[in-house]
Amino acid sequence: MTDRYQQFTQSSLGRQLTKRLGLPQPTPLRRYQPGEPLLTGPVLIGGNGKLCDAIGNTLREIGAAAHKDPATGERYAALVFDATGIENSEQLRSLYDFFSASIKQVDRCGRVIVLGTQPESLSDPRAATAQRALEGFTRTAGKELKRGATSQLVYVADGGEGALGSTLRFLLSGKSAYVSGQVIRIGAAKVPATDWEKPLADKVALVTGASRGIGASIAETLARDGAHVVCLDVPAQGGELAEVANRVGGSTLQLDITAEDAPAKLAEHFDERHGGLDIVVHNAGITRDKTIGRMTAAQWESVIAVNLSSQERINAKLLGEGSPLNEGGRIVCVSSMSGIAGNVGQGNYATSKAGVIGHVQSHAPLAAEKGATINAVAPGFIETKMTATIPLFVREAGRRMNSMSQGGLPVDVAETIAWYANPASSGVNGNVVRVCGQSLLGA
Amino acid sequence: MTDRYQQFTQSSLGRQLTKRLGLPQPTPLRRYQPGEPLLTGPVLIGGNGKLCDAIGNTLREIGAAAHKDPATGERYAALVFDATGIENSEQLRSLYDFFSASIKQVDRCGRVIVLGTQPESLSDPRAATAQRALEGFTRTAGKELKRGATSQLVYVADGGEGALGSTLRFLLSGKSAYVSGQVIRIGAAKVPATDWEKPLADKVALVTGASRGIGASIAETLARDGAHVVCLDVPAQGGELAEVANRVGGSTLQLDITAEDAPAKLAEHFDERHGGLDIVVHNAGITRDKTIGRMTAAQWESVIAVNLSSQERINAKLLGEGSPLNEGGRIVCVSSMSGIAGNVGQGNYATSKAGVIGHVQSHAPLAAEKGATINAVAPGFIETKMTATIPLFVREAGRRMNSMSQGGLPVDVAETIAWYANPASSGVNGNVVRVCGQSLLGA
């Protein structure tokens, strides 16, 4: 689960050498294991706002000890600060007071979570300004924490207080190991009763591109959470696809998603075999790298078709008339850091993945009308067979240039998708969350 | 105007050596000189949408040769593509067709400009998706172009067609030398008749922190464009401040902007001495770097007060009752890359600069009500006395990790501010534009 350099840094010699030379010392990340507690130590909570009750409730439910005053020498598994009460820039002082006194006590793989209110929803411009300012703080904290700890900002709309639980659990747990420096928005929503061990029990999920890499990990993770997973890939991947489906107790569907009749065939399959569909993960994607001046029309078209247009056509079916998508449906799209920042040699890919962001943002209101959600993950450097073929120096730069000083694992992307897919995540709609260890690269 | 490494790369030995070793070879950037033409070669225009006329008009006004078909062997000073007609992801093909055929013909310090429609303003979600996808393309183009060329995406709202001129001129010219990979939004607006040589004639401008560095350059640039510049700084900077004011034919104002009566004093000064105020540039800013756990309360408070709260109080006066701000007023705030991405040791600074973004976004509608605009620049690595003190390796990383492989100059920030300040930029409101050479760093 760790790369060779990381293994070396954990040896006695490696530890000394990397320390002397000032080289990155990646901490093995805490990752979720079923049956283990979400947190391994107490949580220090601070701030004063509309979310204090919701935070307290979730911590009680997961059995975490909640402290209100920092105790000398204590190591905290998480610092959680309710900043929704901050109404102007002078009051940001309370944010400083809390964290300057406690941030050194964050444990290895600990968590910093600041909760605020969407700036764009506030009518008082000074309050909106102060709430927007929180982002500069949490991103800085993420870069200062080190040792596998993460930092996030969660904006909660009025009416979204009761919908905070799934997100708070995700961020506190090892499921968000490689998610840091992110801004998450939670809208007003009702949340059904949730079995937190098997949140996807009785749900039917479709995962495209499921035969390997990140797709296979998504299938495994959704199955772990109780879903029946229909693993989809092109016929050429049939063998590997069947292996994955067997492993997760799911089924297979061989289909070219770019085919004109793919949306209709999908609808038919789920209507007939499963009486509907609850979760769709658009994971299938291809790269055909060339600089813009050397790219062929076929390279452009195939990437746009697989990564964007086919998803658009399938989602039009899912959010339109005669849809197989059940009430409370979840659509998850996979974008990319390239789609956010652009990337040399990936004009086609970056365009398609920026389009995925536009797709999620423009379809979120349509999803909400149907009681569904649509969100995206944007992976950074994830350790897969694909990234293993990148030349050494480029690979090492991608791996180390983030707050974790290491690449993420496919399961980190999968856990983020499982958080979106959770029925309790009904308030999470239209989000784009990077799974990048707070990569330095951005836009 | 160039750093030592860059000078070396331009020597015969340096050119060979950097080429062999694959080291960055920063191109001396084309910068604007009064009296010189905005462009040094023909422009290739493509695409089909609502902006073709506006593009043609601007090119005619500046006397640029506009080609519609790429000529073999021609070098283009700019490629301008009207993408507003693209309604779905399949039609993105026209973007590929145009640029794949022409991007190799972009001249040294050339320009790529793609024009679209704000995705959030479109009711058709497929159109919104395709328009959002443009961003992945232009950011990739910026990274592939090299040799000092830049790439931008400009979204133009319906009714903003006639307000495109000032932005197109800025982006085509050497004034935007260090601006690349940006997304600019132009709203519906009426544009007054403009003297493009002296757009700020008869205007009164206030520049805070004007005694040195970027502030002094802003004063010079606004004065070049015809404004009377009131140079403001704290009394301790009085000597340097007077020098700058003399150089630009302006006047001085010694004032502590964090003082409680500063907004009232400012209003009084401009009402009495100048009969009002047209342009305000909130450039004054301080750093007090420490990691969050080591930062003193005084370090937190002083940075928030100078960089954010004082600007808020002044702008409340400017956008409120009894304001000295004239019709068509321009407020420009200075944010920072740190405010976007966070930065180790700058928890206070990043919070204040993220707050500046929130301030601009929340006040843009209030400014519009008064016929004014408010926008921000976010400088990346700019060569100043301050950055000259950064340790060598950190400095070199900041300097080279961008599409220009060099730091920007204070004048690059100043020119961006002058573009905002232009009376013809009435459609430019609520924008945050990075002046960072398309730095790799982001959020």
Side-chain angles (χ1 to χ4, degrees), chain B residues 44-109:
Chain B
L44 184 68
I45 56 180
N48 207 343
K50 68 183 181 188
L51 298 172
C52 287
D53 287 350
I55 296 165
N57 288 344
T58 295
L59 294 180
R60 233 183 335 274
E61 281 171 26
I62 65 175
H67 296 190
K68 293 230 164 179
D69 296 295
T72 315
E74 184 71 86
R75 305 301 299 175
Y76 290 104
L79 308 179
V80 179
F81 186 83
D82 180 358
T84 57
I86 294 177
E87 290 177 346
N88 57 54
S89 55
E90 287 89 1
Q91 292 177 4
L92 288 165
R93 171 68 193 268
S94 66
L95 183 77
Y96 161 81
D97 285 337
F98 177 75
F99 284 103
S100 67
S102 59
I103 199 165
K104 287 183 189 165
Q105 290 172 257
V106 172
D107 209 353
R108 187 173 272 261
C109 298

Side-chain angles (χ1 to χ4, degrees), chain A residues 89 96 144 295 309 312 345 443, chain B residues 89 96 144 295 309 312 345 434:
Chain A
S89 55
Y96 160 81
E144 291 184 359
M295 188 178 288
S309 309
E312 289 185 278
Chain B
S89 55
Y96 161 81
E144 291 184 359
M295 188 178 289
S309 308
E312 288 186 278
R434 288 164 47 151

Side-chain angles (χ1 to χ4, degrees), chain A residues 198 200 205 217-229 247-250:
Chain A
K198 293 280 177 197
L200 306 183
S217 185
I218 296 167
E220 286 163 12
T221 304
L222 298 183
R224 176 204 68 193
D225 282 356
H228 173 87
V229 182
R247 198 160 70 233
V248 307

Side-chain angles (χ1 to χ4, degrees), chain B residues 19-173:
Chain B
K19 202 166 180 180
R20 289 237 181 137
L21 295 174
L23 292 172
Q25 296 181 290
T27 298
L29 301 183
R30 168 169 71 96
R31 288 192 169 89
Y32 172 76
Q33 295 296 334
E36 290 183 7
L38 289 187
L39 278 172
T40 53
V43 178
L44 184 68
I45 56 180
N48 207 343
K50 68 183 181 188
L51 298 172
C52 287
D53 287 350
I55 296 165
N57 288 344
T58 295
L59 294 180
R60 233 183 335 274
E61 281 171 26
I62 65 175
H67 296 190
K68 293 230 164 179
D69 296 295
T72 315
E74 184 71 86
R75 305 301 299 175
Y76 290 104
L79 308 179
V80 179
F81 186 83
D82 180 358
T84 57
I86 294 177
E87 290 177 346
N88 57 54
S89 55
E90 287 89 1
Q91 292 177 4
L92 288 165
R93 171 68 193 268
S94 66
L95 183 77
Y96 161 81
D97 285 337
F98 177 75
F99 284 103
S100 67
S102 59
I103 199 165
K104 287 183 189 165
Q105 290 172 257
V106 172
D107 209 353
R108 187 173 272 261
C109 298
R111 300 288 184 257
V112 161
I113 302 173
V114 175
L115 300 133
T117 301
Q118 277 89 328
E120 58 275 18
S121 74
L122 292 165
S123 57
D124 173 9
R126 289 211 73 198
T129 300
Q131 292 294 318
R132 180 63 179 76
L134 299 172
E135 189 175 327
F137 187 85
T138 53
R139 291 196 194 273
T140 298
K143 292 182 175 181
E144 291 184 359
L145 280 165
K146 312 279 189 226
R147 301 199 315 142
T150 69
S151 174
Q152 331 282 353
L153 174 58
V154 182
Y155 285 129
V156 183
D158 287 339
E161 298 84 353
L164 178 59
S166 77
T167 300
L168 209 48
R169 283 168 180 260
F170 170 65
L171 295 177
L172 290 171
S173 77

Side-chain angles (χ1 to χ4, degrees), chain B residues 81-421:
Chain B
F81 186 83
D82 180 358
T84 57
I86 294 177
E87 290 177 346
N88 57 54
S89 55
E90 287 89 1
Q91 292 177 4
L92 288 165
R93 171 68 193 268
S94 66
L95 183 77
Y96 161 81
D97 285 337
F98 177 75
F99 284 103
S100 67
S102 59
I103 199 165
K104 287 183 189 165
Q105 290 172 257
V106 172
D107 209 353
R108 187 173 272 261
C109 298
R111 300 288 184 257
V112 161
I113 302 173
V114 175
L115 300 133
T117 301
Q118 277 89 328
E120 58 275 18
S121 74
L122 292 165
S123 57
D124 173 9
R126 289 211 73 198
T129 300
Q131 292 294 318
R132 180 63 179 76
L134 299 172
E135 189 175 327
F137 187 85
T138 53
R139 291 196 194 273
T140 298
K143 292 182 175 181
E144 291 184 359
L145 280 165
K146 312 279 189 226
R147 301 199 315 142
T150 69
S151 174
Q152 331 282 353
L153 174 58
V154 182
Y155 285 129
V156 183
D158 287 339
E161 298 84 353
L164 178 59
S166 77
T167 300
L168 209 48
R169 283 168 180 260
F170 170 65
L171 295 177
L172 290 171
S173 77
K175 294 179 179 181
S176 61
Y178 202 61
V179 177
S180 189
Q182 298 306 294
V183 182
I184 293 165
R185 286 173 159 75
I186 299 179
K190 284 185 189 163
V191 172
T194 308
D195 170 358
W196 294 104
E197 286 302 309
K198 293 279 176 198
L200 306 183
D202 304 324
K203 302 289 183 188
V204 176
L206 167 68
V207 178
T208 70
S211 68
R212 52 186 167 177
I214 294 174
S217 185
I218 297 167
E220 287 163 11
T221 305
L222 297 183
R224 177 205 68 194
D225 283 355
H228 173 87
V229 182
V230 178
C231 302
L232 181 149
D233 218 315
V234 288
Q237 290 293 116
E240 291 180 65
L241 187 68
E243 274 178 42
V244 174
N246 283 340
R247 198 160 71 235
V248 306
S251 51
T252 65
L253 180 57
Q254 296 186 10
L255 188 72
D256 175 2
I257 53 169
T258 63
E260 204 169 325
D261 60 353
K265 277 196 172 165
L266 275 176
E268 196 185 304
H269 178 89
F270 284 94
D271 274 338
E272 288 183 2
R273 302 280 184 92
H274 304 282
L277 173 61
D278 300 287
I279 299 156
V280 179
V281 183
H282 291 287
N283 166 71
I286 60 170
T287 56
R288 296 287 182 271
D289 292 0
K290 277 285 175 203
T291 56
I292 294 164
R294 293 171 187 275
M295 188 178 289
T296 66
Q299 288 169 329
W300 176 270
E301 292 225 316
S302 59
V303 167
I304 299 290
V306 175
N307 297 4
L308 182 56
S309 308
S310 67
Q311 296 184 29
E312 288 186 278
R313 291 191 301 112
I314 292 168
N315 288 345
K317 183 80 188 167
L318 295 177
L319 296 173
E321 294 299 306
S323 163
L325 198 68
N326 295 327
E327 174 73 24
R330 297 280 181 267
I331 301 174
V332 185
C333 302
V334 178
S335 181
S336 160
M337 291 274 301
S338 284
I340 293 169
N343 195 15
V344 172
Q346 298 201 308
N348 47 3
Y349 187 77
T351 302
S352 73
K353 294 301 191 178
V356 166
I357 294 173
H359 179 73
V360 163
Q361 290 172 338
S362 59
H363 284 73
L366 306 177
E369 277 175 28
K370 295 186 75 88
T373 68
I374 181 167
N375 294 281
V377 289
F381 188 96
I382 304 295
E383 305 278 357
T384 62
K385 277 186 191 165
M386 204 168 81
T387 51
T389 65
I390 298 173
L392 177 70
F393 284 103
V394 180
R395 190 169 73 230
E396 276 302 295
R399 244 183 205 150
R400 306 298 164 208
M401 282 176 59
N402 60 69
S403 294
M404 305 294 140
S405 301
Q406 60 193 289
L409 301 180
V411 70
D412 299 324
V413 179
E415 295 282 18
T416 306
I417 290 171
W419 157 60
Y420 284 144

